[in-house]
Amino acid sequence: MTDTDNNSLPERKRGSGVKMVYDLLRDEILDLVLPPGSPIDEVQLAERFKLSRTPIREALVRLAGEGLIDTLPNRSTMVSNIDFLNLHTFFEALVLMYRVTTRLAAQNHRPEDLPVIRGFHEDYAAAVQSRDALAMIATNAAFHAAIAEAGRNPYFTGLFRRLLDEGRRILRLYYQSYEEQFPQRFVDEHAEIIAAIEARDVEAADRLGKAHAEQIVEQVQKLFTRNNKLDIDL
Amino acid sequence: MTDTDNNSLPERKRGSGVKMVYDLLRDEILDLVLPPGSPIDEVQLAERFKLSRTPIREALVRLAGEGLIDTLPNRSTMVSNIDFLNLHTFFEALVLMYRVTTRLAAQNHRPEDLPVIRGFHEDYAAAVQSRDALAMIATNAAFHAAIAEAGRNPYFTGLFRRLLDEGRRILRLYYQSYEEQFPQRFVDEHAEIIAAIEARDVEAADRLGKAHAEQIVEQVQKLFTRNNKLDIDL
DNA sequence: TGTATTTTTCTTGTCGACAAATAAAATACA
DNA sequence: TGTATTTTATTTGTCGACAAGAAAAATACA
């Protein structure tokens, strides 16, 4: 393959460039293809996507708005760091949002939501089966995001999505070096959560969501203390 | 004053244009100077600020990221509407964030936070005294934002600030036509909340935050049902 | 040799211009 | 007169270029 392999994307629709750049950079940041601290070069991206700097910049502004990149005025822009020192605030918010979104899903879900949730549940089970850590991370986030959507509170789903994104980075950080796996227990808990939602048992959904979240937090913290030598880098 | 009153801003620093446009548009949107649905014209703004369209556009992208304006691709962009149909989701999120941030403030506040909070408390009391509805709205939001900051969870403060912003629009909508006033009760409740925070009484802070939030929601809903003829416009 | 100052290089922020996409207006046609 | 089609106009999205700001390199000076 030569450097003239731009025949696959010869012409794009008018507003699609920014979205493409935004989506791709976002994925690369969340998957740690671009690790925290990586410099983001506008001209380099412009060449890569065969675009001018203007749409690149628009995508970067959006990413900065979500806190995924940090921009130093008149200087460089880079992938934002993970704030390990205040990780407890992240867990705190994550647990609460797990609770709230699961509870609201039990309250407000519609019949058409359940197949979607079940679909991600099965994807997650398959990822566990095949011990694919990265797929576990992604499908777990998708599963809970779907539950949040069924809860139908855009303010909560907005925050929750951001938290799940950040969690994707954190998990990815640890699962890339240590081939850990989420226990089967999580799959079972997911099934319980679905049952509670379907039964519209709000209190059970709340309780299960909280317990599940705390399981995950505990799991992550266990990984942390085990390889806390990484923390010294900060 | 003629149309040549641009002598006050002859030259700006290099990155300050976008921030100026962003801040000003944001305020105008939240104060309903630009009511929901108002068209946003890029070239008009460019002329108004004596800038090119590029920095204007960057400010608009940021505002769109916060949901304050809606952009139709290749078409117009306008101030986002207030979703009256799903106002309950707004209240739901608002009450929870009032609770959580007040609770966390009782837990995590530092001595230097209290003077700040007390300052806004006094500003609010003064606004109530002078029956200045707009000042009440602004100082009340500032008071609770300061409490949230003392709670030191950036995820919660981020969501809470967005909710307070949206609340600013909603309150402004009703207080501009009906010269209502927040009751003295709110001032007293604020004082109670401060006391609970200072005493680090987490449960009391939680309870008071919740009660206070519900008071406000009830007040707003009362205004709504009273002038629900406005709702027909949507 | 080490520090201060100038020069150069590199990246960003801004600009004016152009082309695509859509809406509005004008025209054709029944 | 009312509808369909073409033409015009307006606004957005993108581009290439240029200048400001800061870092890096080079030079001067002790």
Side-chain angles (χ1 to χ4, degrees):
Chain A
M1 179 147 41
T2 71
D3 59 344
T4 60
D5 57 345
N6 54 344
N7 49 5
S8 59
L9 44 149
E11 51 190 79
R12 276 183 289 267
K13 271 175 241 160
R14 208 169 125 88
S16 69
V18 282
K19 180 170 167 45
M20 165 163 294
V21 175
Y22 169 82
D23 286 339
L24 198 103
L25 278 183
R26 184 171 171 281
D27 278 340
E28 291 191 346
I29 291 171
L30 296 181
D31 289 341
L32 296 191
V33 175
L34 294 174
S38 301
I40 307 268
D41 187 355
E42 294 178 4
V43 292
Q44 193 175 313
L45 287 170
E47 289 169 6
R48 178 177 169 194
F49 290 97
K50 314 257 186 243
L51 288 170
S52 103
R53 276 175 51 224
T54 311
I56 305 288
R57 249 162 162 275
E58 181 171 331
L60 295 185
V61 170
R62 285 218 258 160
L63 290 169
E66 298 176 30
L68 292 178
I69 63 176
D70 288 334
T71 305
L72 312 189
N74 281 321
R75 290 214 234 142
S76 65
T77 142
M78 56 187 219
V79 177
S80 66
N81 287 313
I82 299 172
D83 187 359
F84 290 98
L85 288 177
N86 294 318
L87 214 56
H88 63 101
T89 65
F90 168 74
F91 289 140
E92 193 172 59
L94 189 70
V95 171
L96 183 62
M97 284 302 110
Y98 260 95
R99 279 186 66 183
V100 170
T101 54
T102 310
R103 163 184 273 270
L104 287 179
Q107 232 174 260
N108 302 329
H109 78 88
R110 297 175 196 165
E112 64 264 30
D113 296 326
L114 288 172
V116 180
I117 295 171
R118 283 214 179 80
F120 288 120
H121 173 53
E122 285 159 19
D123 292 347
Y124 177 72
V128 170
Q129 197 76 24
S130 57
R131 294 169 176 267
D132 183 345
L134 297 182
M136 283 188 232
I137 295 172
T139 53
N140 181 63
F143 172 74
H144 288 287
I147 289 177
E149 288 296 338
R152 295 203 159 57
N153 186 313
Y155 299 101
F156 291 144
T157 55
L159 173 56
F160 194 40
R161 279 188 183 281
R162 283 190 64 160
L163 292 167
L164 289 173
D165 281 351
E166 194 65 12
R168 215 169 123 189
R169 289 216 297 173
I170 293 170
L171 287 177
R172 170 84 214 215
L173 183 63
Y174 284 88
Y175 279 102
Q176 68 185 352
S177 37
Y178 296 81
E179 273 304 326
E180 211 80 22
Q181 62 171 324
F182 283 2
Q184 172 68 24
R185 174 171 191 173
F186 287 178
V187 181
D188 301 338
E189 289 185 0
H190 282 182
E192 288 184 76
I193 288 173
I194 292 177
I197 290 172
E198 187 168 20
R200 299 202 180 276
D201 187 338
V202 176
E203 293 308 322
D206 188 312
R207 182 167 34 79
L208 289 169
K210 179 165 186 275
H212 184 61
E214 284 166 351
Q215 287 288 334
I216 290 182
V217 168
E218 193 183 327
Q219 172 89 354
V220 173
Q221 281 177 329
K222 201 182 294 173
L223 290 175
F224 256 71
T225 51
R226 190 178 305 169
N227 4 327
N228 57 3
K229 52 197 162 190
L230 279 177
D231 296 358
I232 299 170
D233 296 349
L234 312 166
Chain B
M1 180 147 40
T2 71
D3 60 343
T4 61
D5 56 344
N6 55 344
N7 49 5
S8 58
L9 44 150
E11 50 191 78
R12 276 182 289 266
K13 274 176 235 157
R14 209 169 124 87
S16 70
V18 282
K19 181 170 167 42
M20 166 164 294
V21 175
Y22 168 83
D23 286 339
L24 198 102
L25 279 183
R26 184 172 172 280
D27 277 340
E28 290 191 346
I29 291 170
L30 295 181
D31 289 342
L32 295 192
V33 175
L34 295 174
S38 301
I40 307 268
D41 187 354
E42 294 179 3
V43 294
Q44 193 175 314
L45 287 170
E47 289 168 6
R48 176 175 169 195
F49 290 97
K50 314 262 185 239
L51 288 169
S52 102
R53 275 177 51 224
T54 310
I56 304 288
R57 253 167 157 272
E58 180 170 331
L60 294 185
V61 169
R62 286 217 257 159
L63 290 169
E66 298 175 32
L68 292 178
I69 62 176
D70 288 334
T71 305
L72 312 188
N74 283 320
R75 289 214 234 142
S76 66
T77 142
M78 57 187 218
V79 177
S80 66
N81 286 314
I82 299 172
D83 187 359
F84 289 98
L85 289 177
N86 293 317
L87 215 55
H88 62 103
T89 67
F90 168 74
F91 290 140
E92 193 171 59
L94 189 70
V95 171
L96 183 62
M97 285 301 111
Y98 261 94
R99 278 186 66 184
V100 169
T101 54
T102 310
R103 162 185 274 268
L104 287 179
Q107 233 173 259
N108 303 327
H109 78 90
R110 297 176 196 165
E112 64 264 31
D113 296 326
L114 287 172
V116 179
I117 295 171
R118 282 214 178 82
F120 287 119
H121 172 53
E122 285 159 18
D123 292 347
Y124 177 74
V128 170
Q129 198 74 26
S130 58
R131 294 168 177 266
D132 182 345
L134 296 183
M136 284 187 231
I137 294 171
T139 53
N140 180 63
F143 172 73
H144 289 287
I147 289 176
E149 288 296 338
R152 294 203 159 59
N153 186 314
Y155 299 101
F156 291 144
T157 54
L159 173 56
F160 194 40
R161 278 187 184 283
R162 284 189 62 161
L163 292 167
L164 289 173
D165 281 351
E166 193 65 13
R168 215 169 123 189
R169 288 216 297 174
I170 294 170
L171 287 177
R172 171 84 212 216
L173 182 63
Y174 284 88
Y175 278 102
Q176 71 184 351
S177 38
Y178 294 81
E179 274 302 328
E180 210 79 21
Q181 63 173 323
F182 284 0
Q184 172 69 23
R185 175 171 191 173
F186 287 179
V187 182
D188 302 337
E189 288 184 359
H190 281 182
E192 287 185 76
I193 287 174
I194 292 177
I197 290 172
E198 187 168 20
R200 297 203 181 275
D201 188 338
V202 176
E203 292 308 321
D206 188 313
R207 180 168 34 79
L208 290 169
K210 179 165 187 276
H212 184 61
E214 284 166 352
Q215 286 288 333
I216 290 181
V217 168
E218 193 182 328
Q219 173 88 355
V220 174
Q221 280 176 329
K222 201 181 295 173
L223 289 176
F224 256 71
T225 50
R226 189 177 307 170
N227 4 327
N228 57 2
K229 51 197 163 188
L230 278 175
D231 297 358
I232 299 171
D233 296 348
L234 311 166

